Amino acid sequence: MMSHDNPIDFYFEFSSPYGYIASQVAEPLERRIDRKLRWRPILLGPIFKVTGQAPLTSVPLKGDYAKRDFSRTARMHQVEYRHPDRFPIGTVAACRAFYALDERDPDAARRLAMALYRAYFTANRDIGEAAGMLQVAQEAGLDAKALGAAIEDPRIKERVKAEVDGAIAAGVFGSPFFIADGEPFWGVDRIPMLEDWVRKGGW
């Protein structure tokens, strides 16, 4: 029986290719380490203001490498990937919708996250605008009308702000970012290290 106590925090941004790849390998990871991941979408925009970073694809030299590496990393993990035409995108609506669902049904929130990620990174669908995001939610069997109202709820807006502020306070600066028992791991390429750390209780 998988342990639901003391979950590993899994921070990700809906516009992040590496976050997408991590989401696609998350369930097998949970089974291998017998620990649940607590999915926590964030917004990299406010985080980049703190770190002084910019989206990878906008950085000279590094941007061309990143585009190559997105596809290469997806192939290595046997994850379907198509780089979206519009990239990066704002993901405030998606983030709000996730947390609106997460309050009462974390499994539905995860289902939404998976659907949004697949729509963006395999079907080239723009999930940056609320209308496009809600269409994907509806196709995933979720109540798009209720979600549309929820993303305008001041309480949900505050929840997202609190999550981003909390992530910054926890030292999160990229996507994906895992925190296991207080130990931070940044990047999909650190998943093997995360696994070994959890299995051995650190080293």
Side-chain angles (χ1 to χ4, degrees), residues 34 54 123 162 186:
D34 199 31
W186 170 45

Coordinates of all heavy atoms in Angstrom, one line a residue, residues 34 54 123 162 186:
D34 N 7.2 4.0 -3.6 CA 6.1 3.8 -2.6 C 5.8 5.0 -1.8 O 5.5 5.0 -0.6 CB 6.4 2.6 -1.7 CG 5.2 2.0 -1.0 OD1 4.1 2.1 -1.7 OD2 5.3 1.5 0.1
A54 N 15.4 34.1 -17.1 CA 14.4 34.3 -18.2 C 14.1 33.0 -18.7 O 14.8 32.0 -18.5 CB 15.1 35.2 -19.3
A123 N -0.6 18.1 -28.5 CA -1.6 18.5 -29.5 C -1.5 20.0 -30.0 O -2.3 20.4 -30.8 CB -3.0 18.2 -29.0
A162 N -0.5 32.5 -2.8 CA 0.1 31.9 -1.6 C 1.0 30.7 -1.9 O 2.0 30.5 -1.3 CB -1.0 31.5 -0.6
W186 N 16.1 19.7 -8.3 CA 15.6 20.5 -9.5 C 15.8 19.7 -10.8 O 17.0 19.3 -11.0 CB 16.3 21.8 -9.5 CG 16.1 22.6 -10.7 CD1 14.9 22.9 -11.3 CD2 17.0 23.3 -11.4 NE1 15.0 23.7 -12.4 CE2 16.4 24.0 -12.5 CE3 18.4 23.5 -11.3 CZ2 17.0 24.8 -13.4 CZ3 19.1 24.3 -12.2 CH2 18.4 24.9 -13.3

